[in-house]
Amino acid sequence: MRRGPGGTVYAYAEVRWDGPGFYPVDDTTIFDGAKLRVQIKQSREGTDLVVVERDFPGLEARLEDSTSGGKRSGIYRTTTISHRAGPSALGDSVLLLDWQGDGHGYRRHDYTGSPTV
């Protein structure tokens, strides 16, 4: 997260992974869905109010991709979202994974953003 001129807050998320290596193929049967949700929140006492959020579903294809040697690792960075917010805004991200055929839908993995200003 960074704060721009006039109280505009900018936020993005980056995820890195190092998965197990096995046969070299792009396997589209690992997830039913995988995405990153980037949020800008207005900080206040109690629960912070989400003022803007955006989902980035491009993560699924990247996680299911492998190299010709079968290695499954990578980096995915979202584009930046912005919102004109006051001095007490913050950025957060949520990793949402829906494992293929488990019947549970998306499961949340919340991460606190870096407080860069």
Side-chain angles (χ1 to χ4, degrees):
M1 181 183 90
R2 71 179 171 86
R3 192 168 313 279
T8 300
V9 175
Y10 299 89
Y12 68 90
E14 181 176 277
V15 63
R16 296 169 186 254
W17 64 94
D18 186 13
F22 52 98
Y23 58 93
V25 66
D26 296 343
D27 187 353
T28 59
T29 65
I30 298 172
F31 297 103
D32 284 332
K35 58 188 175 183
L36 279 172
R37 177 172 292 155
V38 179
Q39 301 173 323
I40 296 176
K41 298 178 177 182
Q42 190 66 48
S43 183
R44 60 184 187 163
E45 192 171 314
T47 305
D48 295 329
L49 175 68
V50 175
V51 292
V52 67
E53 69 180 9
R54 183 170 164 202
D55 287 349
F56 295 90
L59 179 61
E60 179 182 359
R62 297 289 302 274
L63 287 171
E64 293 175 332
D65 195 15
S66 67
T67 66
S68 60
K71 186 173 169 96
R72 293 183 185 276
S73 61
I75 300 170
Y76 178 79
R77 185 183 189 272
T78 68
T79 57
T80 301
I81 65 171
S82 64
H83 183 73
R84 186 163 172 82
S88 59
L90 59 98
D92 270 338
S93 62
V94 180
L95 174 62
L96 298 157
L97 299 176
D98 182 1
W99 292 92
Q100 173 78 32
D102 74 350
H104 294 289
Y106 280 105
R107 293 192 179 195
R108 294 177 60 101
H109 305 276
D110 294 289
Y111 298 91
T112 301
S114 300
T116 304
V117 286

